[in-house]
């Protein structure tokens, strides 16, 4: 059996070449054709040095399996999603390891209409075939491999979410982190009256300034300083495959993704009233209030793109947002996108007479929150049970949809196991009480550490 440790719960990810290599990529192509009976498959890849060779091997496996490969080349994950539903393809694969270190790579796979593969059936079947090389006979007719740029069509699509003629000439700092986001921004720039301060736009898989991951505090200074230096209206930074974007206000302050969910929900509901908005359970008081005030209905989902997309489809939700900066849109086949959010924020600022800091200040004061705090523990379930028992007498309500959600009179906590790493993740928020927030962060962290 061939080693398949690169297969994770919802995608493929591992070190190159130990866990993911050309042989595995070829096998994945063959297996996907067999499991999905896919006749047309879109592929694309990020800026990592190993991506082009993995892409070529994947394409060979797909064509030998009988599929027509539409290769959109260097791109972001969101462009593969778009190309699948735009071209009515049977499946799509983006070769990327997003914000993982440079020696990693991976694949994100979707089926028709950019729907994620079922982890327990489709992805598991692909994994089994890859391990066993249990492929059916060669296809009656080998598929072909076609290069096609869908970037122009993609640009036209994302522009439908805004009204560029109503934009003010805002000054915006944009940091691509040497990932691929600069390619899309450069294509959008001539169509928008924005003054763009471009940082690290040159794609470079060696990651000369570190792996693009603005969630790391140490990665924020460059964008923050540039916003202040250029007196910009706001700043944007992306992860490597730019399906997530992160915001900085005009004071150079990083804006927690939690509050961005509220901003986008309010913006979208103003033009599309009485719609459903899906949110994850880690932090949600601000989202629920913003959605209710905007005339929408807030709907809770488990954390993770598979669950968010599934819930959005079931509810026909207009928009879904996670605190981790994944933003999902109904008109984008319910997929996450890292371009539409900053376009909506630019439009919102063009319509408002106040700066970005003022738009989020009230939310930050009303619902102060912790950053997500990670703990390595031996037994996550045992720790969560102990925390639940510790606070049982004080509880107002409890929810077990996604880990442990404990709600008290003026604070709440979310404690859940990571879907992708051996970690327990803690989030805490309060009702307008920063002192209580710090107290509870210290208190709960000490309890978890003692139980770890």
């Amino acid at each position: 059996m061939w080693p398949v440790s690169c297969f994770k719960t919802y995608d493929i990810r591992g070190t190159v070449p130990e866990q993911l290599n050309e042989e595995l990529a070829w096998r994945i192509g063959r297996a996907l054709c067999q499991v999905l009976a896919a006749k047309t498959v879109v592929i694309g890849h990020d800026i990592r040095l190993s991506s082009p060779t993995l892409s070529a091997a994947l394409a060979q496996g797909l064509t030998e399996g009988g599929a027509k490969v539409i290769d959109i080349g260097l791109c972001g994950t969101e462009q593969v999603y778009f190309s699948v539903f735009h071209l009515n393809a049977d499946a799509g694969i983006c070769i990327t390891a997003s914000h993982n270190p440079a020696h990693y790579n991976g694949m994100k796979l979707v089926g028709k209409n950019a729907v994620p593969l079922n982890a327990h059936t489709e992805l598991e079947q692909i994994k089994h075939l890859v391990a066993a090389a249990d492929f059916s006979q060669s296809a009656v007719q080998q598929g072909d491999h076609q290069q096609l740029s869908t970037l122009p069509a993609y640009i036209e699509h994302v522009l439908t979410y805004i009204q560029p003629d109503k934009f003010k000439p805002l000054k915006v700092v944009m940091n691509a982190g040497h990932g691929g986001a600069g390619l899309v921004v450069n294509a959008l720039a001539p169509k928008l009256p924005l003054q763009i301060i471009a940082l690290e736009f040159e794609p470079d898989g060696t990651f000369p300034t570190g792996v693009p991951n603005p969630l790391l505090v140490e990665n924020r200074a460059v964008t923050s300083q540039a916003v202040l230096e250029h007196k910009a209206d706001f700043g944007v930074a992306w992860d490597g495959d730019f399906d997530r974007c992160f915001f900085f206000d005009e004071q150079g302050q990083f804006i927690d993704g939690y509050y961005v969910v509220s901003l986008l929900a309010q913006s979208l509901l103003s033009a599309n009233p009485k719609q459903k908005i899906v949110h994850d359970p880690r932090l949600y008081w601000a989202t629920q209030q913003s959605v209710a005030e905007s005339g929408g209905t807030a709907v809770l989902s488990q954390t993770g793109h598979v669950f968010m997309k599934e819930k959005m489809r079931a509810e026909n939700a207009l928009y879904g947002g996670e605190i981790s900066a994944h933003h999902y849109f109904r008109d984008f086949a319910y997929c996450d996108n890292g371009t539409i959010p900053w376009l909506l924020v630019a439009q919102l600022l063009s319509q408002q007479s106040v700066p970005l800091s003022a738009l989020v200040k009230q939310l930050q004061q009303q619902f102060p929150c912790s950053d997500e705090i990670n703990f390595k523990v031996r037994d996550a379930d045992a720790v969560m049970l102990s925390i639940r028992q510790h606070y049982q007498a004080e509880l107002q309500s409890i929810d077990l949809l996604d880990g442990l959600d404990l709600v008290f009179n003026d604070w709440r906590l979310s404690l859940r196991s990571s879907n992708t790493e051996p970690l327990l993740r803690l989030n805490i928020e309060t009702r307008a009480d920063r002192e209580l927030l710090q107290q509870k962060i210290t208190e709960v962290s000490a309890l978890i550490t003692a139980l770890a």
Side-chain angles (χ1 to χ4, degrees):
M1 298 290 282
W2 196 269
V4 286
S5 61
C6 62
F7 277 78
K8 307 304 179 186
T9 306
Y10 302 111
D11 59 15
I12 294 167
R13 189 173 59 259
T15 56
V16 177
E18 298 83 7
Q19 295 176 301
L20 181 59
N21 47 52
E22 293 171 56
E23 172 66 24
L24 265 167
W26 178 85
R27 291 185 180 211
I28 291 167
R30 285 297 312 271
L32 182 135
C33 287
Q34 194 163 318
V35 170
L36 300 185
K39 299 302 181 186
T40 306
V41 181
V42 172
I43 66 171
H45 63 83
D46 72 6
I47 46 78
R48 291 169 186 271
L49 300 182
S50 59
S51 291
T53 52
L54 290 174
S55 181
L58 173 67
Q60 184 178 349
L62 290 166
T63 56
E64 290 181 14
K68 173 184 177 181
V69 173
I70 301 175
D71 189 344
I72 66 172
L74 182 61
C75 67
T77 300
E78 61 191 47
Q79 291 170 268
V80 170
Y81 296 156
F82 167 76
S83 299
V84 169
F85 70 79
H86 176 69
L87 299 172
N88 196 30
D90 298 311
I93 305 173
C94 187
I95 297 175
T96 179
S98 187
H99 59 277
N100 287 109
H103 62 291
Y104 277 74
N105 217 321
M107 297 185 192
K108 295 181 180 180
L109 304 88
V110 293
K112 201 167 186 63
N113 297 317
V115 176
L117 299 193
N118 186 295
H120 303 296
T121 55
E122 295 164 325
L123 195 59
E124 189 63 31
Q125 290 171 28
I126 291 171
K127 176 182 176 180
H128 172 77
L129 289 177
V130 167
D134 185 17
F135 305 121
S136 57
Q137 295 297 315
S138 297
V140 175
Q141 182 174 357
Q142 182 165 317
D144 66 339
H145 184 178
Q146 170 190 355
Q147 303 285 337
L148 177 69
S149 174
T150 56
L151 181 58
Y154 175 71
I155 296 301
E156 292 306 312
H157 177 84
V158 297
L159 286 172
T160 64
Y161 294 80
I162 57 170
Q163 296 176 287
D165 58 326
K166 295 185 179 180
F167 272 37
K168 292 179 180 177
L170 302 172
K171 185 185 293 186
V172 188
V173 167
M174 297 193 162
N175 187 346
H178 295 294
L183 300 173
V184 168
V185 175
N186 285 337
L188 274 167
K191 302 177 183 295
L192 300 169
L194 303 177
Q195 181 182 346
I196 294 172
I197 312 299
L199 305 179
E200 302 177 4
F201 264 39
E202 306 79 16
D204 189 339
T206 66
F207 300 131
T209 55
V211 177
N213 183 9
L215 277 180
L216 300 177
V217 175
E218 59 269 26
N219 287 359
R220 300 173 185 172
V222 171
T223 310
S224 176
Q225 290 168 5
V227 168
L228 294 173
E229 178 186 345
H230 293 279
K231 295 182 171 58
D233 293 288
F234 69 101
V236 189
W238 290 269
D239 63 352
D241 64 335
F242 61 98
D243 57 354
R244 295 183 298 157
C245 66
F246 303 82
F247 292 90
F248 297 76
D249 67 22
E250 79 288 351
Q251 299 170 2
Q253 296 297 311
F254 181 82
I255 300 174
D256 195 293
Y258 177 31
Y259 306 113
V260 175
V261 173
S262 289
L263 282 186
L264 297 183
Q266 291 168 348
S267 174
L268 288 162
L269 284 169
S270 67
N272 306 271
K274 298 182 180 179
Q275 298 288 318
K276 292 180 179 179
I277 304 296
V278 172
H279 62 86
D280 74 296
R282 288 171 286 186
L283 299 166
Y284 57 71
W285 275 346
T287 305
Q288 290 181 343
Q289 176 177 289
S290 298
V291 170
E293 290 177 348
S294 301
T297 302
V299 178
L300 183 67
S301 167
Q302 282 183 261
T303 302
H305 80 102
V306 172
F307 300 114
M308 291 289 292
K309 293 169 182 176
E310 183 178 53
K311 178 63 74 171
M312 286 184 68
R313 287 179 186 276
E315 299 285 347
N316 191 31
L318 174 67
Y319 160 72
E322 293 186 277
I323 67 169
S324 53
H326 285 285
H327 301 284
Y328 308 83
F329 301 88
R330 181 169 63 199
D331 292 342
F332 197 66
Y334 302 97
C335 292
D336 36 337
N337 185 289
T339 300
I340 298 167
W342 71 260
L343 289 171
L344 290 172
V345 168
Q347 178 165 273
L348 189 62
L349 287 175
S350 296
Q351 296 167 340
Q352 302 284 339
S353 58
V354 296
L356 183 54
S357 61
L359 291 179
V360 296
K361 183 177 181 179
Q362 185 176 3
L363 290 170
Q364 292 168 333
Q365 291 176 338
Q366 287 183 304
F367 304 104
C369 68
S370 67
D371 287 328
E372 190 159 73
I373 307 168
N374 296 316
F375 301 88
K376 288 187 177 180
V377 299
R378 290 187 299 273
D379 188 336
D381 290 338
V383 172
M384 286 191 282
L385 178 60
S386 295
I387 295 296
R388 176 181 176 178
Q389 292 171 339
H390 179 86
Y391 288 109
Q392 190 70 43
E394 306 170 40
L395 278 176
Q396 277 199 340
S397 67
I398 182 171
D399 194 304
L400 305 177
L401 171 69
D402 193 355
L404 189 65
D405 180 1
L406 304 183
V407 178
F408 308 90
N409 183 50
D410 48 6
W411 72 287
R412 59 170 293 273
L413 72 82
S414 166
L415 194 60
R416 56 180 293 277
S417 298
S418 168
N419 290 328
T420 57
E421 300 173 84
L423 297 171
L424 201 56
R425 304 192 189 279
L426 172 68
N427 286 277
I428 297 177
E429 62 182 322
T430 69
R431 296 192 187 276
D433 194 335
R434 289 195 173 276
E435 185 176 335
L436 178 63
L437 176 67
Q438 293 306 317
Q439 175 191 329
K440 292 303 179 183
I441 290 172
T442 302
E443 179 182 298
V444 179
S445 296
L447 287 171
I448 295 172
T449 301
L451 293 165

